[in-house]
């Protein structure tokens, strides 16, 4: 009844648009959004590129719910552990993307999902302060990054 797409552990690629054309749009996307850094931008998506990937597999539509993954259980990077979620929230709001933030183990459905922060309020860096964007992306993909 539902269509779900999982990004895996990846960097941003124009191939996501092809995924969207062939298989999308999706009711829910599970997209890696943590453990990023400018020096790892060709390996991990990070928050803003996760939102761009969601938009690409949704064929540019703002339908479906983005569930950021790979950010909340283990601290694997130099950023604060809540920073990916905060930056996804900002990027999703700027682009009209619905985002779900389930607690570990909590259920998500396209029509019923937790969207309010459950993590502590901690200092974090914005995308302008700590950008992490893949290199060699075409302008059409760069334009999707909030």
């Amino acid at each position: 009844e539902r269509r779900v797409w999982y990004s895996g552990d990846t960097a941003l690629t124009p191939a996501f648009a092809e995924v969207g054309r062939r298989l999308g749009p999706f009711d829910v996307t599970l997209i890696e959004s943590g453990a990023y850094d400018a020096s790892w931008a060709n390996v991990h998506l990070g928050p803003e590129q996760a939102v761009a990937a969601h938009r690409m597999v949704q064929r540019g539509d703002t339908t479906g719910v983005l569930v950021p993954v790979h950010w909340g259980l283990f601290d694997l990077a130099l950023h604060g552990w809540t920073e990916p979620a905060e930056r996804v929230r900002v990027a999703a709001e700027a682009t009209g993307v619905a985002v779900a933030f389930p607690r570990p183990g909590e259920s998500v459905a396209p029509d019923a999902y937790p969207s309010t922060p459950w993590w502590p309020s901690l200092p974090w860096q914005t995308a302008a302060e700590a950008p992490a964007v893949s290199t060699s992306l075409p302008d059409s993909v760069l334009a999707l990054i909030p």
Side-chain angles (χ1 to χ4, degrees):
E1 293 179 29
R2 303 290 188 179
R3 299 173 53 77
V4 177
W5 182 72
Y6 174 58
S7 70
D9 206 358
T10 185
L12 192 60
T13 172
F16 290 156
E18 178 63 19
V19 170
R21 278 191 293 277
R22 288 183 39 222
L23 304 171
F26 301 92
D27 298 303
V28 174
T29 62
L30 306 164
I31 302 182
E32 173 263 305
S33 63
Y36 57 90
D37 186 77
S39 61
W40 310 333
N42 292 318
V43 179
H44 280 177
L45 286 168
E48 295 78 24
Q49 294 187 128
V51 173
H54 172 84
R55 294 174 67 204
M56 291 170 76
V57 300
Q58 293 303 88
R59 303 179 190 159
D61 198 340
T62 57
T63 61
V65 177
L66 164 60
V67 179
V69 299
H70 194 288
W71 73 268
L73 290 179
F74 301 101
D75 186 5
L76 300 173
L78 305 174
H79 56 70
W81 79 271
T82 64
E83 183 176 300
E86 297 291 2
R87 286 176 58 167
V88 165
R89 287 179 63 212
V90 170
E93 185 176 304
T95 56
V97 169
V99 62
F101 291 104
R103 292 175 185 269
E106 189 173 12
S107 296
V108 172
D111 51 357
Y113 55 89
S115 60
T116 56
W118 51 265
W119 53 88
S121 179
L122 299 172
W124 55 278
Q125 291 185 302
T126 66
E129 294 169 323
V133 179
S134 295
T135 59
S136 303
L137 292 173
D139 289 342
S140 60
V141 174
L142 289 172
L144 295 173
I145 301 171

